[in-house]
Amino acid sequence: MTEATVLAPPAAGRRRARPLLLAVLALVLVGLVLFMHELEPLFRAWFPDLDRPMYRRETFLRLTLDHVLLVLVSSAVSVAVGVSAGIFVTRPAGREFAPMVSALSAIGQTFPPAAVLAIVVPLAGFGFVPTIVALTLYGLLPVVQNTIAGLGTVPPATLEAARGTGMSRWQILTRVELPLAMRVIIAGVRVSVIINIGTATIGSTVGARSLGTPIIAGLVGDNIAYVIQGAAVVGLLAIVTDMAFEQVERRFTFGGRG
Amino acid sequence: MIELHGLTKLYDDARVVDDVSLTVDQGEFCVLIGPSGCGKSTTLKMINRLVPLTSGRILLHGEDVAALPAEQLRRRIGYAIQSIGLFPHWTVAQNIAVVPTLLKWPKARIADRVEELLALLRLDADGFRDKYPHELSGGQAQRVGVARALAADPDVMLMDEPFGALDPITREVLQAELARVHHETGKTIVFVTHDMDEALKLATRIAVMNEGRLVQYDRPIELLFSPADDFVRDFLGKADLGLKLLTRRWVHQYVAPAPWADRRASMGSLRDIVATHGHVWLVDGDGRPEGLFGARLWRAEGDPLGELSRIHPDWLATPEMTMKEALSRMVWRRVLALPVVDADGRLSGEVTMAGVMGRQPEGAAA
């Protein structure tokens, strides 16, 4: 495995766990989502020129849940497709497809999500579905690459021992390869999910409701307060999710790796 | 019992293993030895079908191994390799239990078996059961590797240079342990190495391979006395053939009655014994050797007894010790005789330099 092929946030897994900070930030996030409207006086003081400095067309809870749903569905599809493809191309039968799958997933990420939306909207219409397609394509690369890289970190001696003890191919995959590759795979999922939390805001341009909705409304209506309200929740959501993944990754560290 | 019939393996057009036939009887310790690339590892891996064979037949207890599903076959054969390959995400106990788990043994039986194997490999159960592989030294890890290979009590064990990556001291300790395990369990073992000393120490049969062919298959002593050709002779190492021979000789084969006296005996009686035998062992009240008069390369002027040498623990020989080691101790301590002690440390005889030289080698030993 070459370190460069593994997509992971810098120093992933090497930092000390910060469960306390995570808990505090998560509380702030929940508070912000539930009680954003209580901050209206603050925004009024900050932006005295604006008539309506608080986004009120939907509640932030509604927007956040829709946003999370977009991310969850697209990430679930990315992970299912990406991990399966990564496993397939590391089996003897699928080895020759490895360059093709890597290239395809790389192309998926090279496309700007806005361009994907432009292509998908004529085919699938407005709203939820094209956003899911764009996010899924966009999140595929880190999952595929890290699955391939993670399976590549399993020592050949461990695989020979697994075969020598009489495990079937399925048992070797599920009991040895995947658990040992899990840390790197989860790092890929983490990158994929974080990217998609940010990118899901774009979905609002084609009518999928998300935390991007106030941002887009603010940009269109020249209301910077809306942009700040939407962006603050999205940013905090990304940070909290990232830190939560960090906790999960640590559970899959064996033998001083990582 | 394992029978190989006309075993051949082609990689592209290269004959990696070429028409190898040999039989390993029940309880034998068969060592496959040869230079790198001679096909010994490939031969071993064809037995548990990690490497498919090109032609030939392998019978395990008279049954063609090709008739069984490969996974089932492998669960019946212990397998240990140089790189050990412990599963890094499992504890020592889980690693040892791999095959019993695959065979769906009940939990309690697996736990008992793990305890038994940790004891057999001299690993403290409470200290090691829950450790992870990265917490083990190389020697401990390979003990676990051997325990894993033994776990489901297979009659046959395949070992591919299991001690090749260990430091010399650990390697010797583990060789001794394996010899003991073989002795205690009566397993049939096929063992690959390129180290002739290791082969001579462990094997009951040695198969010398070169360029894919079986050159000679004999008991160690016969190999030493009648190498089939120059290749085998070279491989045995001409220069220290004599010393290698002594690795297949044991102190108990050379032990002679020792002249001894109680440590409180009079100088006169000691002089009488030394006059007849050349030296005398002094023993304490329990019969443990304490000192030695004579048997040194030099003598003090005037006194036929020479100086009294206090027995050092490094001097002692035990009946199971190889003669090579006994000789080494004599040379190191510059004495012409070593006391042989029994399990309680009591003097039971001696081995002497003259005895090593005078003993006629016989083919049927070992």
Side-chain angles (χ1 to χ4, degrees):
Chain A
M1 166 194 105
T2 53
E3 212 47 60
T5 62
V6 181
L7 295 166
R14 284 184 198 90
R15 280 170 293 174
R16 304 276 307 148
R18 292 165 301 176
L20 186 67
L21 183 59
L22 172 60
V24 170
L25 288 179
L27 267 178
V28 172
L29 175 63
V30 171
L32 206 54
V33 167
L34 293 179
F35 305 113
M36 179 70 93
H37 295 166
E38 308 294 327
L39 296 178
E40 183 155 3
L42 184 73
F43 281 97
R44 197 166 285 288
W46 193 0
F47 301 101
D49 300 341
L50 294 174
D51 287 344
R52 276 172 291 176
M54 177 55 62
Y55 187 81
R56 285 197 180 275
R57 241 167 283 161
E58 286 100 4
T59 64
F60 277 88
L61 177 63
R62 177 82 251 158
L63 294 174
T64 306
L65 290 178
D66 284 341
H67 194 97
V68 168
L69 184 69
L70 278 176
V71 174
L72 278 183
V73 172
S74 61
S75 293
V77 179
S78 286
V79 169
V81 174
V83 172
S84 313
I87 291 172
F88 173 67
V89 300
T90 50
R91 301 305 100 187
R95 201 141 279 165
E96 51 190 301
F97 295 96
M100 196 186 74
V101 167
S102 293
L104 277 181
S105 59
I107 291 170
Q109 217 194 18
T110 333
F111 264 94
V116 177
L117 288 177
I119 296 172
V120 181
V121 167
L123 301 174
F126 281 87
F128 192 72
V129 176
T131 310
I132 291 292
V133 173
L135 293 183
T136 302
L137 286 180
Y138 208 54
L140 211 49
L141 175 78
V143 179
V144 172
Q145 289 229 316
N146 277 40
T147 304
I148 295 173
L151 291 171
T153 60
V154 180
T158 307
L159 291 178
E160 187 186 345
R163 293 218 300 142
T165 51
M167 289 191 200
S168 66
R169 282 189 183 171
W170 177 250
Q171 287 165 332
I172 293 174
L173 179 66
T174 55
R175 296 187 192 190
V176 179
E177 292 187 273
L178 284 180
L180 289 177
M182 200 47 86
R183 190 182 66 85
V184 179
I185 295 177
I186 288 177
V189 174
R190 173 180 176 182
V191 171
S192 168
V193 169
I194 299 306
I195 289 176
N196 278 353
I197 288 178
T199 314
T201 53
I202 308 274
S204 310
T205 57
V206 293
R209 197 166 45 195
S210 74
L211 286 167
T213 309
I215 297 178
I216 301 293
L219 289 175
V220 172
D222 210 11
N223 187 332
I224 197 77
Y226 290 1
V227 177
I228 290 174
Q229 288 151 20
V233 179
V234 172
L236 206 49
L237 181 64
I239 291 171
V240 168
T241 310
D242 188 59
M243 290 176 74
F245 266 103
E246 189 183 334
Q247 301 297 317
V248 176
E249 262 177 61
R250 296 170 58 83
R251 290 168 188 250
F252 290 92
T253 304
F254 310 105
R257 303 194 303 139
Chain B
M1 187 166 102
I2 308 166
E3 296 162 74
L4 312 183
H5 294 291
L7 213 57
T8 298
K9 176 69 193 176
L10 296 175
Y11 278 123
D12 299 324
D13 276 333
R15 280 183 179 266
V16 180
V17 176
D18 189 1
D19 195 22
V20 168
S21 299
L22 59 85
T23 300
V24 184
D25 286 324
Q26 194 64 42
E28 292 266 22
F29 197 128
C30 169
V31 172
L32 301 178
I33 191 168
S36 298
C38 70
K40 54 192 191 298
S41 278
T42 309
T43 304
L44 185 85
K45 287 177 186 168
M46 283 193 281
I47 297 175
N48 67 355
R49 289 178 56 195
L50 284 174
V51 171
L53 43 89
T54 308
S55 64
R57 250 158 46 101
I58 300 171
L59 303 181
L60 180 65
H61 307 307
E63 206 180 335
D64 195 328
V65 296
L68 281 168
E71 279 94 31
Q72 274 184 36
L73 174 75
R74 290 179 199 142
R75 289 170 199 176
R76 282 175 43 186
I77 299 177
Y79 187 56
I81 53 180
Q82 178 177 347
S83 40
I84 311 176
L86 295 182
F87 302 110
H89 55 312
W90 288 342
T91 62
V92 165
Q94 288 170 312
N95 266 284
I96 293 175
V98 172
V99 183
T101 308
L102 290 173
L103 293 172
K104 299 194 167 64
W105 287 14
K107 277 217 167 67
R109 186 173 166 209
I110 293 179
D112 288 349
R113 183 63 182 154
V114 168
E115 301 289 298
E116 200 178 305
L117 286 164
L118 285 170
L120 182 67
L121 272 303
R122 308 227 164 114
L123 290 166
D124 170 52
D126 291 331
F128 282 97
R129 196 190 295 113
D130 298 323
K131 279 209 166 136
Y132 282 89
H134 72 273
E135 299 172 282
L136 304 176
S137 70
Q140 290 163 348
Q142 193 53 285
R143 280 171 196 260
V144 175
V146 173
R148 178 175 66 185
L150 284 164
D153 206 13
D155 335 300
V156 174
M157 300 252 290
L158 305 180
M159 311 185 87
D160 193 355
E161 298 199 43
F163 308 141
L166 301 176
D167 66 83
I169 295 168
T170 311
R171 190 184 313 152
E172 281 208 7
V173 171
L174 276 180
Q175 284 166 349
E177 299 278 299
L178 182 62
R180 179 176 59 81
V181 168
H182 176 242
H183 187 74
E184 285 175 16
T185 59
K187 303 276 180 217
T188 309
I189 298 177
V190 184
F191 185 104
V192 164
T193 183
H194 57 255
D195 176 355
M196 188 48 92
D197 288 311
E198 185 166 71
L200 289 169
K201 201 174 289 178
L202 294 172
T204 58
R205 297 247 172 204
I206 295 180
V208 185
M209 293 184 66
N210 188 30
E211 293 175 348
R213 297 188 143 271
L214 180 63
V215 185
Q216 188 171 6
Y217 184 45
D218 254 324
R219 281 188 295 189
I221 284 292
E222 284 150 3
L223 199 75
L224 287 164
F225 283 120
S226 44
D229 59 13
D230 287 342
F231 170 79
V232 178
R233 201 168 295 119
D234 282 346
F235 202 73
L236 284 166
K238 286 172 185 155
D240 60 350
L241 207 57
L243 287 176
K244 286 214 162 70
L245 199 55
L246 290 179
T247 63
R248 295 301 296 188
R249 296 279 192 237
W250 284 271
V251 165
H252 66 81
Q253 297 172 307
Y254 286 80
V255 71
W260 65 278
D262 190 273
R263 62 176 162 182
R264 285 165 307 209
S266 70
M267 289 309 262
S269 63
L270 293 178
R271 279 201 184 84
D272 288 343
I273 301 175
V274 171
T276 346
H277 296 282
H279 62 279
V280 60
W281 301 100
L282 295 186
V283 302
D284 67 9
D286 295 324
R288 295 195 185 85
E290 264 200 339
L292 168 67
F293 275 114
R296 306 298 300 228
L297 290 171
W298 68 95
R299 287 201 175 177
E301 283 291 312
D303 190 345
L305 280 182
E307 59 187 301
L308 171 67
S309 316
R310 181 155 289 282
I311 304 257
H312 189 274
D314 282 0
W315 278 32
L316 301 171
T318 56
E320 303 80 35
M321 190 180 279
T322 67
M323 279 308 286
K324 187 180 175 184
E325 189 173 352
L327 184 69
S328 165
R329 289 182 176 207
M330 284 190 239
V331 172
W332 179 243
R333 284 285 155 189
R334 303 223 278 162
V335 287
L336 298 172
L338 285 185
V340 178
V341 296
D342 61 18
D344 299 322
R346 283 194 293 264
L347 184 71
S348 64
E350 65 176 9
V351 282
T352 62
M353 198 65 99
V356 176
M357 306 306 293
R359 177 92 176 185
Q360 286 306 306
E362 85 281 28

